[in-house]
Amino acid sequence: MKFYIDNLPIIFPYDRIYPEQYAYMCDLKRTLDATGHCVLEMPSGTGKTVSLLSLIVSYQQFYPTKRKLVYCSRTVPEIEKALAELKRLMAYRLECAETAEEKEKERNFMGMGLTSRKNLCINPEVAKEKKGKVVDAKCRDLTNSVVCEKARENPGSVEICEWHENLGKLDPGALFPTGIWTLEDILDYAREKVICPYFAVRRMMGFADVVIYSFHYLLDPKVADQVSKDLSKDAIVVFDEAHNIDNVCIESLSIDLTRPMLDSASRSIVKLGDRIDEIKTTDAAKLQDEYAKLVEGLQEPDIDDEDVVMGNPTLPDDLLNEAIPGNIRKAEHFVAFLKRFVEYLKTRMRVLHVVAETPLSFLQHLKDITYIERRPLRFCAERLQSLIRTLELSRLDEYSALQKIASFATLVATYEKGFLLILEPFETEAATVPNPVFHFTCLDPSLAIKPVFERFSSVVITSGTISPLDMYPKMLQFTPVVQETYPMTLTRNAFLPLVITRGSDQVAISSRFEVRNDPAVVRNFGSILVEYSKIVPDGIVAFFPSYLYMESIVAAWNDMGILNEVWKHKLIFVETPDANETSIALENYRRACDNGRGAVLLSVARGKVSEGIDFDHNYGRAVIMFGVPYQYTESRILKARLEYLRDAYRIRESEFLGFDAMRNAAQCVGRVLRGKTDWGLMVFADKRFARADKRSKLPRWINQYITETAANLSTDMALTLSKLFMRTISQNPNENQTGISLWTLEDIEKAQAKQKALALEAEQQRGSEEEGYGDGGLDDNTFMDFDLDS
């Protein structure tokens, strides 16, 4: 389908389009035209990815200044999905191209995905490793420039990676032909040509029109510094599934230190000392050269990607051009400095009470005790990187604890505000054996994403569950030009949201701390599951606020005989914190849904299942949310963050906690609906969901279908409504969706004509108002029509 938005020709790879998709594209175009940022919430399962790609690719191909698209997604399956969608779109665009020139333009378009070495390495010696850190370290040992030099001078003297070597023989801009490359395609092509897929993609990123990768490649400064530093400023950045973007920002700047980590760092420091002594006797000039370089300034001319040991956590450019402080220039002085710093951290960990302090107070105490100044600490990460390169160390995964401590030193000395240090000597309140953890926690999500907003002209934040929209600009400190949430147009209600506030015995149900383990509440929760497992076909997914609560409830259900009741109708599978166990449970759950036995999956909000796994069609005919998924409010880190949000951005604690709980609840129930042909039940089982302030924080597309009668039900009333809904939905739909929830080209043109007519009318009205003071304005009917169809 080809249509125009203003003067921009859009090629959309399907012959029908949802009204939401059209509205979404219009707002996206407005954002790109204004070169600003936007927050857009599009209902789950309405083709958000294809709309985004269609519009942005049309935009890139139409305007001569081709802006690169950087599309960030959260998980590898989501990256794969976006690449497959892009591949399909480009094949369709090539079919639609009319002239030879247009065809050539479409053929020359290039898109590729990037993921970690662990997923892309094809060297059997390295790829057999299970841990990402070990794969990275082994890869560096085989590919850094020193090893490659030695191999060229004296072939066979050192082990190198032939896949990586072959890249050097090719022209860096032509490692891949043009086209769209999914991760699978990249691996197949690299195997065939015997080249390294990971570094091939890294080198081709400058030549690609679309790059699809993980959030961390832009938000985590240590990684972004290596991977994304060459992206042009006019690139369009999209964060898809960005409802948890604030948490990703905070994680990327937070560090936790433990006792075993400090012990490992101490061992690494001893190794460094030995290696320095060894080099002093064999090649003292090398250390002298490094010293001379450091006197001049920190910025080394050009370091190859293969030689970067670890990115810099934060340092601004002006600091990088400074000379390194004198007391850590010499290698042996720097090692002594690290030793002293690690010993100080070890003594801090011997404290048996909780300590919370700001970076400034930590630095003051550090200076009083060890005379370590703030300035050399800021250069710690860079200085360590330089030393590791000079000493030509191998197996860097063994030095990861020391690298972490160097990053910690740099961060703590760089930032004064927005961070807190919390030392927790015991794992739990009741524990008696100390197991201290030093949390250096970031409280301000805007710190990590600020460089992205400053550097790129258009940043799009989008997800299916991102309500309330105004929270994100507040937390991330940016001003969007467009902020929009879209309703869902359906010819018949494809999902039924129900709020159950009490059991059939009229006892109120809630996961509030005071009543969550009350036998009556637990029994009522159990009876909801039993009754729904009797009437719902195939799969049911149930979510709990936390693993702890799920364990206690399932144990209580077992004692009450509730699980035996459920087993009569469906099998039960449980999500656990272990990823492998969970994927086996998921596989068997799907098998049970396929073969007609039916199954229930018990899972946790904020867990793996609630985030990236779709339960389309028979895999999820009902989602039950047991309780409101609040975070564990006794956590000291959360308390510190709430306090910071209140003081810095005037966001009240209750406002943030409510927002966080409801976005997670919406994320869980949104799993049930993966398209307009899909249908399912959304059951909110907690009396607090009946309150208007809670419901208003749900996405508009869910909220619009919660009727007054369905907002305060007992279990038996909810079951009656559910049976009625399932009986209705399973009838053959005679009504045609076209024109209402599916638009053809004529419908788009009608909507555009209507929009123009209304705009013209409003313009004339304004003109006549300026001439005289008639009451004027549009009548109510016009507004109603406009709302429904535009």
Side-chain angles (χ1 to χ4, degrees), residues 607-673:
K608 181 176 177 238
V609 170
S610 69
E611 284 303 338
I613 291 165
D614 295 343
F615 296 100
D616 47 345
H617 300 289
N618 63 328
Y619 298 132
R621 286 302 183 205
V623 170
I624 305 172
M625 183 77 240
F626 288 115
V628 182
Y630 280 108
Q631 288 190 50
Y632 172 58
T633 45
E634 289 307 299
S635 146
R636 289 186 181 88
I637 295 174
L638 178 65
K639 280 182 176 168
R641 186 179 171 192
L642 291 173
E643 205 170 295
Y644 181 82
L645 286 173
R646 189 189 63 216
D647 298 345
Y649 302 140
R650 305 280 179 274
I651 297 173
R652 294 195 317 276
E653 283 106 323
S654 58
E655 188 186 347
F656 177 78
L657 286 170
F659 149 76
D660 186 62
M662 295 315 280
R663 74 170 160 183
N664 278 292
Q667 191 53 28
C668 293
V669 296
R671 302 283 102 209
V672 73
L673 204 71

Side-chain angles (χ1 to χ4, degrees), residues 457-738:
S457 52
S458 292
V459 178
V460 177
I461 290 180
T462 182
S463 174
T465 49
I466 207 166
S467 287
L469 293 179
D470 52 355
M471 198 66 159
Y472 288 85
K474 250 196 237 174
M475 280 194 306
L476 303 176
Q477 291 296 290
F478 71 101
T479 313
V481 288
V482 179
Q483 189 172 311
E484 194 59 69
T485 174
Y486 306 94
M488 198 167 186
T489 48
L490 293 165
T491 38
R492 55 183 195 154
N493 292 5
F495 62 95
L496 179 68
L498 301 166
V499 179
I500 301 182
T501 56
R502 54 200 187 279
S504 302
D505 54 1
Q506 303 305 313
V507 172
I509 56 172
S510 175
S511 65
R512 254 182 49 239
F513 196 74
E514 300 77 27
V515 298
R516 58 166 42 179
N517 291 322
D518 180 333
V521 172
V522 174
R523 193 178 55 250
N524 275 324
F525 274 159
S527 75
I528 292 174
L529 189 64
V530 171
E531 294 304 324
Y532 272 98
S533 66
K534 284 179 188 170
I535 65 165
V536 174
D538 301 324
I540 297 179
V541 189
F543 286 99
F544 294 87
S546 67
Y547 283 112
L548 253 161
Y549 186 45
M550 177 165 79
E551 279 168 26
S552 71
I553 284 246
V554 171
W557 281 351
N558 194 32
D559 297 342
M560 292 175 178
I562 286 170
L563 293 185
N564 290 333
E565 273 302 303
V566 177
W567 268 316
K568 288 178 187 168
H569 308 283
K570 291 189 188 308
L571 299 178
I572 299 176
F573 297 97
V574 183
E575 177 191 2
T576 64
D578 183 279
N580 292 342
E581 281 180 15
T582 302
S583 54
I584 293 168
L586 263 169
E587 196 183 317
N588 288 326
Y589 168 80
R590 291 213 155 105
R591 202 176 296 160
C593 292
D594 285 337
N595 68 17
R597 174 71 174 87
V600 175
L601 181 65
L602 304 178
S603 31
V604 170
R606 297 185 185 81
K608 181 176 177 238
V609 170
S610 69
E611 284 303 338
I613 291 165
D614 295 343
F615 296 100
D616 47 345
H617 300 289
N618 63 328
Y619 298 132
R621 286 302 183 205
V623 170
I624 305 172
M625 183 77 240
F626 288 115
V628 182
Y630 280 108
Q631 288 190 50
Y632 172 58
T633 45
E634 289 307 299
S635 146
R636 289 186 181 88
I637 295 174
L638 178 65
K639 280 182 176 168
R641 186 179 171 192
L642 291 173
E643 205 170 295
Y644 181 82
L645 286 173
R646 189 189 63 216
D647 298 345
Y649 302 140
R650 305 280 179 274
I651 297 173
R652 294 195 317 276
E653 283 106 323
S654 58
E655 188 186 347
F656 177 78
L657 286 170
F659 149 76
D660 186 62
M662 295 315 280
R663 74 170 160 183
N664 278 292
Q667 191 53 28
C668 293
V669 296
R671 302 283 102 209
V672 73
L673 204 71
R674 307 313 303 165
K676 291 194 178 182
T677 54
D678 199 356
W679 61 268
L681 296 160
M682 297 178 177
V683 180
F684 297 93
D686 192 306
K687 66 172 188 189
R688 289 173 292 179
F689 282 116
R691 295 198 345 225
D693 66 318
K694 291 277 179 293
R695 288 217 314 279
S696 65
K697 291 190 173 77
L698 282 172
R700 180 177 167 190
W701 61 274
I702 296 180
N703 225 336
Q704 74 185 94
Y705 289 108
I706 302 183
T707 56
E708 275 312 303
T709 46
N712 186 357
L713 300 167
S714 62
T715 309
D716 46 352
M717 290 155 68
L719 285 164
T720 310
L721 284 175
S722 303
K723 283 177 186 165
L724 185 67
F725 168 76
M726 285 192 291
R727 223 171 294 149
T728 318
I729 202 84
S730 55
Q731 305 304 315
N732 189 22
N734 293 326
E735 65 266 38
N736 186 356
Q737 294 194 346
T738 307

Side-chain angles (χ1 to χ4, degrees), residues 135-303:
V135 172
D136 290 355
K138 278 194 160 184
C139 174
R140 282 192 196 100
D141 293 349
L142 299 175
T143 59
N144 66 55
S145 53
V146 177
V147 168
C148 295
E149 284 289 298
K150 281 183 185 164
R152 280 172 207 136
E153 283 166 20
N154 186 0
S157 60
V158 285
E159 198 184 334
I160 54 167
C161 173
E162 62 166 309
W163 288 267
H164 177 262
E165 274 301 286
N166 291 340
L167 277 183
K169 299 168 189 165
L170 301 169
D171 171 22
L175 302 175
F176 286 102
T178 53
I180 307 300
W181 295 87
T182 65
L183 300 177
E184 203 50 54
D185 296 342
I186 289 168
L187 285 170
D188 292 343
Y189 184 80
R191 282 194 190 99
E192 183 193 322
K193 299 284 180 194
V194 197
I195 56 172
C196 167
Y198 175 75
F199 282 111
V201 174
R202 286 274 300 269
R203 289 175 190 183
M204 286 296 291
M205 271 173 63
F207 302 93
D209 300 298
V210 178
V211 178
I212 300 184
Y213 56 31
S214 156
F215 279 28
H216 294 283
Y217 290 146
L218 265 185
L219 295 179
D220 186 336
K222 295 186 284 297
V223 188
D225 191 44
Q226 298 174 37
V227 179
S228 306
K229 62 177 183 292
D230 298 328
L231 295 176
S232 59
K233 288 187 168 42
D234 64 348
I236 300 162
V237 176
V238 174
F239 289 109
D240 194 7
E241 298 297 332
H243 44 273
N244 280 346
I245 194 165
D246 52 317
N247 296 337
V248 178
C249 293
I250 278 175
E251 280 161 24
S252 68
L253 285 177
S254 299
I255 292 178
D256 288 353
L257 301 177
T258 59
R259 271 310 298 257
M261 235 179 243
L262 295 180
D263 296 338
S264 164
S266 297
R267 290 194 293 276
S268 301
I269 292 170
V270 172
K271 272 194 223 164
L272 280 180
D274 295 347
R275 181 87 178 112
I276 289 168
D277 295 340
E278 192 185 309
I279 283 212
K280 267 186 179 166
T281 54
T282 57
D283 191 358
K286 198 179 256 185
L287 290 171
Q288 201 50 47
D289 287 350
E290 185 197 35
Y291 181 79
K293 259 188 210 160
L294 295 175
V295 172
E296 286 163 25
L298 192 61
Q299 198 68 322
E300 299 203 14
D302 273 328
I303 303 171

